[in-house]
Amino acid sequence: MAEHLTSRKEIAKYKEAFCSFDRDGNGSISIQELGTLLRTLGCIPTPIELEEIIQAVDTDKNGNIEFEEFLVMMARKKKANSRDEIEQAFKVFDSNGDGFISEMELREVMKNVGEKLSNEQINTMMKVADMDEDGKVGFEDFYALLTGKSSHD
């Protein structure tokens, strides 16, 4: 498996997110689906960045990202994330400043970046992001989703 993705639970959560955005069910995600997925994980990639990501991890050069390639990409992203960047991204989602990301806040941010998601996709994203399974997405969950470790490490 990809380096720096340490737990089966973490990989399972990424698999669930990946599958929910594989809209045509073909086992891979297109550049458009990748953009949507990354935005749900707190990243706001530009079209150029998406192209660069595809080029960097698309080992079979088919223009799509398969799950194993997605894991490699997430491992690299987790390694590069700094706490400050993650805090800033969290604040974008936590628009009311209560310390948690609600379904409504997630839906609003996604709409603002041009993504209209179904209730099922929003529910899946919330489930994937709720790393401690307490029904809320706080900073700890968000940090763990992006880095695979506690913000206290």
Side-chain angles (χ1 to χ4, degrees):
M1 249 343 108
E3 72 269 8
H4 305 291
L5 295 177
T6 56
S7 75
R8 288 182 183 190
K9 184 176 177 182
E10 180 182 13
I11 292 169
K13 288 209 178 238
Y14 282 135
K15 180 71 171 179
E16 185 175 4
F18 181 89
C19 290
S20 74
F21 287 91
D22 177 14
R23 291 188 177 137
D24 56 10
N26 68 354
S28 65
I29 54 178
S30 67
I31 192 166
Q32 293 81 14
E33 292 166 329
L34 177 63
T36 301
L37 179 55
L38 289 175
R39 284 186 283 279
T40 68
L41 297 174
C43 306
I44 311 294
T46 66
I48 292 171
E49 289 171 327
L50 286 172
E51 285 290 340
E52 290 171 351
I53 290 167
I54 294 276
Q55 289 176 7
V57 298
D58 183 19
T59 56
D60 60 8
K61 304 296 181 206
N62 68 356
N64 292 312
I65 302 292
E66 285 73 30
F67 183 63
E68 286 296 319
E69 294 168 333
F70 177 70
L71 286 179
V72 169
M73 178 190 71
M74 292 309 296
R76 289 177 184 168
K77 179 72 178 152
K78 283 173 38 176
K79 193 174 180 181
N81 282 334
S82 76
R83 182 179 172 86
D84 290 340
E85 290 171 329
I86 294 170
E87 285 175 353
Q88 291 304 313
F90 181 80
K91 288 176 184 176
V92 168
F93 284 90
D94 180 22
S95 60
N96 68 3
D98 69 353
F100 298 98
I101 300 170
S102 69
E103 286 186 22
M104 184 178 76
E105 288 170 318
L106 177 59
R107 186 180 316 280
E108 189 63 28
V109 169
M110 297 310 294
K111 187 175 102 181
N112 289 341
V113 296
E115 297 296 335
K116 182 165 173 37
L117 302 176
S118 70
N119 287 337
E120 180 182 342
Q121 287 173 312
I122 293 289
N123 290 337
T124 298
M125 290 166 41
M126 291 296 290
K127 186 177 175 184
V128 167
D130 184 12
M131 302 296 276
D132 61 8
E133 299 177 348
D134 67 354
K136 304 178 282 189
V137 178
F139 179 72
E140 285 296 318
D141 296 316
F142 194 75
Y143 188 90
L145 178 69
L146 295 177
T147 66
K149 58 187 175 186
S150 167
S151 68
H152 303 294
D153 290 347

